[in-house]
Amino acid sequence: EVQLQASGGGLVQAGGSLRLSCTASGISFSDYAIGWFRQVQGREREGISCISSSDNNTYFEDSVKGRFTASNNNAKDTVHLQMNSLKPEDTAVYYCALLIGWVTCSSSTWQYEFDYWGQGTQVTVSS
């Protein structure tokens, strides 16, 4: 059974940085993508970043582009989301999710139903 474990959230001041990690276990396939989503209470969940396990192709929504980066540690089945220059509006619960298959990450990726989800990790950015 595939399981995803998200970690690394916390409280940080505006302008600070956090690194989220998403570790997958039970994976028996080689091609997949990890998406990062965030949700503010009372609002819809939004996809913000995607990284492909196959070719490390990445995609970032405009709201985080230039501030967030993603990387793969395939040996550890772990994906990191480095979040720099954090803003109060980045405050949310962050989730990682896995989409099976050869994925070219783009804005269209969010139309697919991700196969597995991790638990959320809270990120709070104070002003």
Side-chain angles (χ1 to χ4, degrees):
E1 180 184 1
V2 175
Q3 293 186 330
L4 300 177
Q5 179 75 37
S7 61
L11 172 64
V12 65
Q13 289 188 332
S17 298
L18 283 173
R19 188 175 83 156
L20 304 184
S21 298
C22 179
T23 300
S25 61
I27 291 180
S28 60
F29 37 85
S30 58
D31 297 324
Y32 58 91
I34 295 292
W36 286 97
F37 299 77
R38 64 186 182 186
Q39 186 169 25
V40 177
Q41 190 172 9
R43 296 174 59 179
E44 286 190 4
R45 184 175 58 203
E46 62 169 340
I48 58 170
S49 174
C50 173
I51 182 167
S52 168
S53 71
S54 307
D55 58 6
N56 289 326
N57 149 257
T58 56
Y59 172 79
F60 299 91
E61 287 291 330
D62 288 344
S63 58
V64 302
K65 191 180 298 181
R67 299 187 297 123
F68 291 11
T69 60
S71 60
N72 253 327
N73 185 337
N74 288 335
K76 297 183 179 181
D77 286 332
T78 299
V79 166
H80 300 291
L81 183 69
Q82 178 67 40
M83 307 187 297
N84 299 325
S85 302
L86 283 162
K87 305 174 182 180
E89 51 264 44
D90 293 318
T91 295
V93 178
Y94 284 69
Y95 300 88
C96 62
L98 184 149
L99 180 62
I100 299 173
W102 184 282
V103 179
T104 299
C105 292
S106 71
S107 60
S108 300
T109 303
W110 315 130
Q111 69 180 296
Y112 299 107
E113 184 173 345
F114 278 63
D115 298 283
Y116 301 96
W117 290 82
Q119 89 293 355
T121 184
Q122 176 71 46
V123 171
T124 303
V125 185
S126 62
S127 57

